[in-house]
Amino acid sequence: MNRKLLIGKPVSENIKKSLVEKINSLSKKNIIPKLAAILVGDNPASKIYVKSKYKTFIKFNCQSEIHHFLNDSNENDICDLISRLNKDKSTHGILLQLPLPLHLNSKRILDSIDPNKDVDGLHPMNLGRLLQGNPNFIPCTPYGCLEILRYYKINVKSKHVVVIGRSNLVGKPIAALLSQKFDIGNSTVTLCHSQTKNLSKYTKMADVIIVAVGIPAMLKSNMVKKDAVVIDVGINRVDDDSQKGYHIIGDADYSSLINKVSSITPVPGGVGPMTITMLLNNTIASAEKTII
Ligand code: NAD
């Protein structure tokens, strides 16, 4: 096991193996886990994410459907669909692909999802339960980060973890999770954000840094102590002259950090593959809860 490069694929494959068993056993009870993904508008990255979620579910003999709304759709139409999906017994997971067009109130729409189908774990009830240390659904990307730490046996207990970024999607839940009395937890967590003064002061003290900011290569090697662990959640498109016209880099300056840190997740190929796997995991868990 290469503990220097924390590659997501083996972690994800390992989890998927156990999920296949669960899918087979649900299928014997005529239950096929089903995800309904809601996409609004034409954000190219969102379209790619939703499509790859769809493909993964189909590949694993689960069901998936994409509900695509136009950019200028109104909130009530989306909430009406969610209300129907909440009642539909064959739908186990509802995912609202973020970000939404600016005229829509994502909080109101997220709040309308049945917490027991909120497989992205963003409903206030699920975030509240997570804070209490009794999670229902753990948000997929933070969950993926935990599974990477578990697989590569990176000890976070009593370690100082610095999380950079305070979004509801990544930063806040990962900070809350790692400070809990969980097997992957019991860390001392510092949560940094855009208003943190002298960010380096905190990152230099960190045993583990989790960066989820959305600024290409913002975490430099002079900001970390030797042998720190870096989990890079960032996915940033950088334009180039390639046929595709862009390439993806993380929030950590990988090339300068690789010789200083003890472990780091590459981008792409680190946290990225984990998010869909944990979405599959959460949807299967939701389907299992329907067995009485
Ligand atoms: P966001 O824009 O909602 O939040 C960014 C956070 O970064 C904010 O809380 C802000 O306070 C903080 N921030 C901004 N500038 C900063 C600075 N200079 N110093 C310190 N903090 C600063 O973003 P998000 O949804 O949390 O996503 C963060 C990154 O993670 C993005 O690149 C996104 O594409 C990526 N992401 C990846 C996955 C995945 O599957 N790997 C999933 C979700 C998000």
Side-chain angles (χ1 to χ4, degrees), residues 24 40 74 124 149 171 184 195 197 210 219-220 225 234 270:
N24 291 341
V40 190
N74 83 54
L149 294 169
I184 310 292
Q195 301 305 307
K197 284 194 180 137
I210 301 181
L219 184 73
K220 308 284 183 199
K225 72 177 182 188

Side-chain angles (χ1 to χ4, degrees), residues 141 164-167 169-170 193-194 212-215 218 233-236 251 271-272 275:
T141 303
I164 318 175
R166 58 177 162 186
S167 70
L169 195 62
V170 189
H193 47 75
S194 55
V213 166
I215 301 177
M218 66 93 73
V233 180
I235 301 178
N236 305 291
D251 289 347
V271 176
T275 299

